[in-house]
Amino acid sequence: MRRAAKYKRISRDREGRQLGIQRQDEDLDLLAKRRGLTIVADYFDNDLSASAYAKRPRTDYQRLLADAREGKFEVIIAYTTGRLTRTPREFEDLIDLAVDYGIEFEFVRSPSFDLR
């Protein structure tokens, strides 16, 4: 059994209804089922950008990284790579997670790859 964490993010949710988060959630559940993953953690940052110019912190993203380092799961699943991050520095953090902690990444609409 491989334990997985879902991460969902929408940059803009003007109405605050989290509809994009809900759509991602459904697709991530299907991905987990196809890959034989057991979801053990769920993180989301609604109405928050992941660009290099973003000013507001993504608290669930930071919690996701900390929990990955603590060994709470082996796989992070997200809708696309851009839902996790859009900055080179943060991509390097994901590589560190893969190399140092064996974390794998699976995506609904981006190619999945092994960063180890």
Side-chain angles (χ1 to χ4, degrees):
M1 170 186 86
R2 291 188 314 156
R3 298 171 299 155
K6 295 190 285 188
Y7 180 75
K8 300 157 298 216
R9 184 185 62 76
I10 292 293
S11 297
R12 289 200 178 136
D13 182 5
R14 292 187 176 131
E15 296 177 12
R17 297 175 54 205
Q18 298 186 1
L19 297 177
I21 295 291
Q22 291 171 14
R23 285 189 295 273
Q24 287 180 41
D25 196 52
E26 294 164 5
D27 288 338
L28 291 175
D29 286 341
L30 292 172
L31 175 65
K33 185 176 181 179
R34 280 195 314 273
R35 298 283 197 260
L37 302 170
T38 300
I39 303 297
V40 297
D42 194 351
Y43 307 85
F44 74 93
D45 289 306
N46 192 53
D47 199 28
L48 289 171
S49 174
S51 80
Y53 305 106
K55 303 282 188 242
R56 297 184 306 166
R58 294 185 295 140
T59 54
D60 256 20
Y61 179 76
Q62 294 305 319
R63 197 167 55 89
L64 168 78
L65 300 181
D67 288 351
R69 288 188 289 268
E70 289 179 18
K72 294 185 177 182
F73 43 81
E74 294 81 36
V75 182
I76 294 173
I77 61 175
Y79 193 75
T80 65
T81 56
R83 295 303 90 204
L84 283 174
T85 186
R86 293 178 182 265
T87 68
R89 176 61 246 161
E90 286 182 348
F91 271 118
E92 290 178 16
D93 293 338
L94 299 179
I95 293 168
D96 290 344
L97 280 180
V99 171
D100 298 340
Y101 299 92
I103 298 296
E104 299 173 36
F105 300 87
E106 297 277 347
F107 304 99
V108 173
R109 296 277 185 226
S110 293
S112 295
F113 42 83
D114 187 345
L115 294 173
R116 294 173 288 164

